[in-house]
Amino acid sequence: MRNRQVSPATIWVWVALSALIGAATIWILDHGYANDEALFRWSQITTALGTSELHLESIGLVYPHAPIYMLAPFYYLPGLATPFAPYLASILTGGALLALWHHHLRLRNFPPATAAILVILVAAHPVFLWAATGGTERTLSLFVFYLMCVACVRLLRVGDVRAIIMLGAVLALYFFVDERTAFLFVALLPLLPFLAPLRMLRSSMLSTFLLISLPSVIAILSWIYLNWLFHGDPLHFLTSPESAFVGARQAIHDTPWLKAYGGSFFS
């Protein structure tokens, strides 16, 4: 049976890659770049945790909370309670994503040189560098997206109940990480018949869809309940002008194309 435990080599790969991403981040910051979203996230942490009592409504319900919770430990660690903490979180998460990618490549018996080249290609991609050095939640979003891809591959190749549970759990987790999860979930539904095992679809297609979608539905319903509990409006996270869940609708007044065609699907 193949050993799937994380090896010490993978940990060293994580440390080395995190150091490289950290060096790139420091170089960017030294040249005058500072991400407003990273500063905003850290100000939320200091405001919420700096009070004597912590209330959920102090953090807000108009954006996913997982990136906020990931920053919370840095507030209590000596020497790390600085505005650089969001960048450090992105660096460590980016290094973990690359290390996990390397670990999976080695599990598939890729030669060390080939695995290293593939990891470097991902690390050098502009989208990854932009996410890993920006100090925002985008690196965590990429990490969970990769887990979702792994779950889809397992569902396609193995097709067991664990794969369905993993895909449903990752999608539910994704809702608390990235506000675009609902759009991703809707886009993924038509593809499920091509991913799920044929025997499961023949036995009960509805049950297969329910097993995958139920965790996400529960996550969304819990968010609706929290919005009703604290704001009196269950859809506050969809109607608030400050909500991140409304997507490009925030910029509709600043973009002529959205102003002309936004909300008109067929146009």
Side-chain angles (χ1 to χ4, degrees), residues 206-222:
L206 181 61
S207 299
T208 304
F209 277 81
L210 284 177
L211 283 173
I212 296 175
S213 60
L214 187 59
S216 298
V217 172
I218 293 175
I220 295 173
L221 289 177
S222 67

Side-chain angles (χ1 to χ4, degrees), residues 5-260:
Q5 293 182 354
V6 177
S7 62
T10 302
I11 298 177
W12 282 112
V13 169
W14 172 55
V15 173
L17 292 172
S18 298
L20 290 175
I21 298 173
T25 303
I26 293 174
W27 182 84
I28 292 173
L29 293 175
D30 285 342
H31 283 74
Y33 173 79
N35 197 314
D36 293 338
E37 293 184 28
L39 294 175
F40 175 69
R41 295 293 185 191
W42 185 246
S43 65
Q44 286 179 310
I45 287 294
T46 55
T47 301
L49 300 182
T51 59
S52 58
E53 295 182 359
L54 176 62
H55 300 282
L56 185 60
E57 64 270 24
S58 301
I59 303 177
L61 295 169
V62 293
Y63 39 77
H65 275 191
I68 299 295
Y69 300 150
M70 188 175 66
L71 285 178
F74 292 92
Y75 183 83
Y76 298 102
L77 293 175
L80 296 181
T82 66
F84 186 72
Y87 297 96
L88 182 57
S90 292
I91 291 167
L92 295 177
T93 307
L97 172 57
L98 294 177
L100 182 61
W101 169 235
H102 179 270
H103 175 67
H104 286 161
L105 289 173
R106 296 294 293 137
L107 284 178
R108 300 305 301 173
N109 297 321
F110 278 78
T114 304
I117 292 173
L118 292 175
V119 169
I120 291 173
L121 287 175
V122 174
H125 196 281
V127 173
F128 177 82
L129 287 175
W130 173 63
T133 60
T136 63
E137 77 284 352
R138 294 184 183 92
T139 315
L140 182 61
S141 179
L142 285 176
F143 189 92
V144 180
F145 182 79
Y146 177 75
L147 293 180
M148 188 194 72
C149 294
V150 171
C152 289
V153 171
R154 180 183 176 90
L155 183 62
L156 184 63
R157 294 178 61 90
V158 182
D160 57 354
V161 178
R162 290 184 179 181
I164 294 180
I165 295 175
M166 179 181 179
L167 181 57
V170 169
L171 285 172
L173 173 64
Y174 212 169
F175 176 76
F176 298 104
V177 172
D178 197 309
E179 62 273 5
R180 294 163 292 187
T181 305
F183 302 101
L184 182 64
F185 177 72
V186 172
L188 184 64
L189 281 179
L191 300 177
L192 289 181
F194 301 97
L195 297 174
L198 190 58
R199 66 181 186 276
M200 291 185 180
L201 295 174
R202 286 176 177 174
S203 177
S204 178
M205 181 179 294
L206 181 61
S207 299
T208 304
F209 277 81
L210 284 177
L211 283 173
I212 296 175
S213 60
L214 187 59
S216 298
V217 172
I218 293 175
I220 295 173
L221 289 177
S222 67
W223 207 250
I224 291 174
Y225 172 74
L226 289 174
N227 277 263
W228 171 77
L229 186 65
F230 290 104
H231 296 286
D233 181 8
L235 300 180
H236 175 74
F237 68 105
L238 296 178
T239 58
S240 174
E242 301 176 354
S243 175
F245 291 95
V246 298
R249 195 169 66 187
Q250 292 178 324
I252 191 170
H253 299 292
D254 302 326
T255 308
W257 183 85
L258 284 174
K259 191 172 183 180

